[in-house]
Amino acid sequence: QVRLQESGPGLVKPSQTLSLTCSVAGGSITSGKYYWSWVRQPAGKGLEWVGLIYSSGTTRYNPSLESRVTVSTDTSKNQLSLNLSSVTAADTAVYYCARGASRALRCSLSGCLYYHYAMDVWGQGTTVTVSS
Amino acid sequence: QSVLTQPPSVSGAPGQRVTISCTGDSANIGAPFDVHWYQHLPGTAPKLLIYGNNNRPSGVPDRFSGSKSGTAASLAISDLQAEDEGDYYCQSSDSVIFGGGTKLTVL
């Protein structure tokens, strides 16, 4: 059974880069056709998808964060990573990593349209505060 | 602003039945893509509640059920219990974007 565990600094200064890691246990991050996602919840607000990476290596980002977000995997460490640059207080949130299966429906030169199965495995979340 | 619209809040007394709607459009739910539902209780990680419109993962009580029609989906919770109080989110399988979320209050 796959388990996910987020880790990273709990406090980040404004304008700096937030870096989080999600360690994957009980399975390989490269096996199967999955997407590995980052989701956050600012205090008092709803869940917000941040970004994801498919098993193919293709990434997708929330348009509202796209200019600042990078999601990647480190296969040697079986980890998922999130980098969010130029952070502000608005980036203060609980950050979750999650896994779901995916299936490419059709592909073109501009990319693939995927069917996203539900995210059935979640980490426990890690709280990040942006403050000086 | 989410492309999936949910009511901000619903409430019900213990034992009652409540429904939470999730309205999309012809590009997502009506395309037709399936809808997934998540439960997010205070202090815990989100939990998959319903997948593929009306399927319950192992361990989810049958008090929870999902349905879909046209460009909308619904989550129904029967025999409401105090521990059901929390936030509920829908997601269309065309993307990973969540609905705005619905806060369920058990009176």
Side-chain angles (χ1 to χ4, degrees), chain B residues 65-106:
Chain B
S65 62
S67 63
K68 192 189 89 165
S69 178
T71 59
S74 290
L75 172 70
I77 308 172
S78 61
D79 188 23
L80 205 56
Q81 300 180 7
E83 57 261 35
D84 299 332
E85 187 161 287
D87 299 321
Y88 293 80
Y89 298 87
C90 62
Q91 176 211 341
S92 171
S93 56
D94 69 301
S95 77
V96 195
I97 297 176
F98 297 97
T102 299
K103 181 175 182 58
L104 169 63
T105 300
V106 181

Side-chain angles (χ1 to χ4, degrees), chain A residues 35 37 39 41 45-49 52 54 60 62-63 96 105 113-120 122-125, chain B residues 33-36 38 40 43-48 50-52 87 89 91-101:
Chain A
Y35 62 93
S37 188
V39 175
Q41 184 181 36
K45 296 187 178 181
L47 295 178
E48 179 183 34
W49 168 63
L52 64 81
Y54 297 101
R60 295 267 173 87
N62 187 319
Y96 300 94
L105 295 174
L113 173 66
Y114 286 90
Y115 179 99
H116 301 86
Y117 294 89
M119 290 178 278
D120 59 345
W122 291 74
Q124 65 184 32
Chain B
F33 280 96
D34 294 325
V35 177
H36 315 308
Y38 301 88
H40 194 196
T44 69
K47 170 188 171 183
L48 176 61
I50 297 288
Y51 66 93
D87 299 321
Y89 298 87
Q91 176 211 341
S92 171
S93 56
D94 69 301
S95 77
V96 195
I97 297 176
F98 297 97

